[in-house]
Amino acid sequence: MRAVSVFPNDKAIKVIDNHPAPALEADTEALLDMLEIGVCGTDKEIARFDYGIPPAGSPYLVIGHESLARVARVGSAVSRVKPGDLVITMVRRPCPHAWCRSCRAGRQDFCFSGDFTERGIKGRHGFMTEHVVDDASYMHVVPAALRDVAILVEPLTIAEKGLIQTWDVQERLPWTAAGDGDGHGEKAVVLGAGPVGLLGALALLVRGFEVWVYSREHEGSSGAQWCDSVGAHYVSSQTTSLPELAKLVGNIDFVYEATGASALSFQTLEVLGINGVFCFTGVPGRKAPISIDADLLMRNMVLKNQLVFGTVNAGPDAFAAAIDDLGKFYARWPAQVKALITGRFAPDQVVSLLTGQAGGIKNVIAFS
Ligand SMILES: [Zn+2]
Ligand SMILES: [Zn+2]
């Protein structure tokens, strides 16, 4: 069957047509017909051969980790999904070590050993192919009404996992609204206007936060207009400095970082508010060291009770929350949510998407 494959040793990306079709091997597995696979920055890094590890013994890695599929067949022990269901399959699989308490608890998103695998990224083939078999316990059913936008679930899980942890942390302030998932009266800044940032902005808006999206694009850009249309404030870093942004916002309760830009992020940390939480999600490229005002940051963190944390991957709770939230987003902003998916392409067009300067927000490979 056809599969989009990266050959790290040959530095080649090819759509092969002889990838072996998978079969059900255990009665807990389900066979999926792949519908759509999203392309993101991680895929582009793999296509630059910076990243991406084929399964042991394979010269290539089938890429793709953001997926939407239809269940074709299920093993006899599967009750979680049934044929015809639309499903999103989780990406990370547990490490083998008995001592890894996270993986043994089914929370490989917090793996201690680093020996986890990830479909389409590390040691396991991904979803950019025609059919996939996996254990049904990694699959989450999506309502059929979300068919057109469900490919956004996986990138949304990043914000969902960040917010779940933020509520845990803000339980230290039980006398404020925050802590039970209610952001009313709280002010959030989202750094970056890519898919992860914009989906994060929606997740904050549905919880009642007042949201400012801070990014490079001009204030008249399509991204800025999109933010205005959902009720977020858009502020361009080209015309407004971070101290000016802080004046506009007031006490910044939460920063959701979705850029991978370290200098911008640490400058924003300087204006984080009292009792504020800063959530990093971006992975910076290896560039020259930046200088930061460490005294100021440390003084602020102590004197303002601040908390800074990073988050990666997502557990079953974040997948469930993402599906739930995407339904809320689509009911409230149908046109804006659809507009996040800027192109659907045939598998043959993937190389230009991965290596070229394809514009748009979220581009998708459609297999059927
Ligand atoms: Zn991704
Ligand atoms: Zn582990």
Side-chain angles (χ1 to χ4, degrees):
M1 63 184 186
R2 281 192 306 166
V4 177
S5 305
V6 170
F7 292 74
N9 286 340
D10 304 341
K11 301 234 183 296
I13 312 163
K14 294 180 209 164
V15 183
I16 58 172
D17 55 16
N18 59 348
H19 185 58
L24 292 180
E25 283 169 11
D27 56 10
T28 55
E29 290 178 339
L31 172 69
L32 305 178
D33 296 333
M34 302 313 295
L35 301 176
E36 293 182 346
I37 299 91
V39 175
C40 78
T42 300
D43 300 305
K44 291 177 185 168
E45 282 173 23
I46 295 171
R48 284 198 300 269
F49 315 103
D50 290 345
Y51 213 61
I53 302 172
S58 169
Y60 62 87
L61 171 72
V62 176
I63 63 167
H65 57 276
E66 303 178 0
S67 73
L68 172 66
R70 183 172 283 118
V71 177
R73 283 200 296 128
V74 300
S76 58
V78 172
S79 56
R80 188 178 169 83
V81 303
K82 60 181 189 309
D85 281 348
L86 293 177
V87 294
I88 311 293
T89 305
M90 295 169 68
V91 177
R92 192 178 279 192
R93 301 292 172 269
C95 77
H97 307 294
W99 56 265
C100 179
R101 297 183 303 265
S102 296
C103 287
R104 301 293 69 78
R107 288 305 301 263
Q108 47 273 16
D109 57 314
F110 285 107
C111 178
F112 282 102
S113 74
D115 293 334
F116 57 81
T117 55
E118 288 175 330
R119 293 208 69 153
I121 302 173
K122 181 174 183 266
R124 272 178 202 267
H125 287 311
F127 301 128
M128 225 177 259
T129 183
E130 293 175 64
H131 307 285
V132 160
V133 163
D134 212 329
D135 198 280
S137 61
Y138 297 120
M139 296 174 187
H140 291 260
V141 175
V142 194
L146 297 181
R147 164 68 177 86
D148 290 348
V149 295
I151 193 64
L152 299 172
V153 166
E154 200 278 341
L156 174 58
T157 60
I158 299 168
E160 299 292 348
K161 180 175 171 184
L163 283 168
I164 290 166
Q165 293 171 89
T166 300
W167 303 132
D168 289 348
V169 167
Q170 293 304 64
E171 276 179 20
R172 65 190 180 151
L173 309 173
W175 51 88
T176 70
D180 58 1
D182 185 351
H184 285 92
E186 305 268 317
K187 294 169 174 186
V189 170
V190 173
L191 295 180
V196 173
L198 297 179
L199 288 164
L202 296 183
L204 291 161
L205 287 166
V206 295
R207 286 163 177 80
F209 281 89
E210 193 171 353
V211 177
W212 281 260
V213 176
Y214 189 68
S215 190
R216 262 192 308 237
E217 297 80 10
H218 282 290
E219 300 202 343
S221 68
S222 57
Q225 288 166 12
W226 185 96
C227 290
D228 286 341
S229 74
V230 295
H233 310 279
Y234 183 84
V235 179
S236 172
S237 61
Q238 296 196 30
T239 47
T240 305
S241 69
L242 278 159
E244 288 165 348
L245 174 74
K247 268 196 210 120
L248 285 173
V249 177
N251 192 63
I252 299 175
D253 297 296
F254 183 59
V255 175
Y256 181 65
E257 180 279 321
T259 63
S262 56
L264 172 76
S265 299
F266 279 93
Q267 286 157 13
T268 310
L269 184 54
E270 291 181 3
V271 298
L272 181 65
I274 292 168
N275 304 326
V277 176
F278 191 112
C279 173
F280 278 107
T281 76
V283 181
R286 275 176 210 208
K287 298 188 190 118
I290 59 161
S291 69
I292 60 172
D293 188 342
D295 281 348
L296 173 67
L297 293 176
M298 185 166 164
R299 186 182 305 123
N300 279 351
M301 279 189 238
V302 171
L303 297 180
K304 297 184 179 177
N305 292 305
Q306 293 173 339
L307 190 120
V308 180
F309 75 100
T311 184
V312 70
N313 197 253
D317 53 351
F319 273 82
I323 293 167
D324 199 50
D325 260 359
L326 190 65
K328 289 183 195 157
F329 301 172
Y330 203 31
R332 191 158 153 192
W333 303 290
Q336 290 90 337
V337 175
K338 271 190 173 164
L340 292 174
I341 301 168
T342 40
R344 287 186 164 84
F345 299 87
D348 297 337
Q349 294 169 282
V350 73
V351 176
S352 64
L353 281 185
L354 288 168
T355 57
Q357 288 296 316
I361 302 170
K362 174 58 70 185
N363 291 318
V364 166
I365 298 294
F367 259 89
S368 32

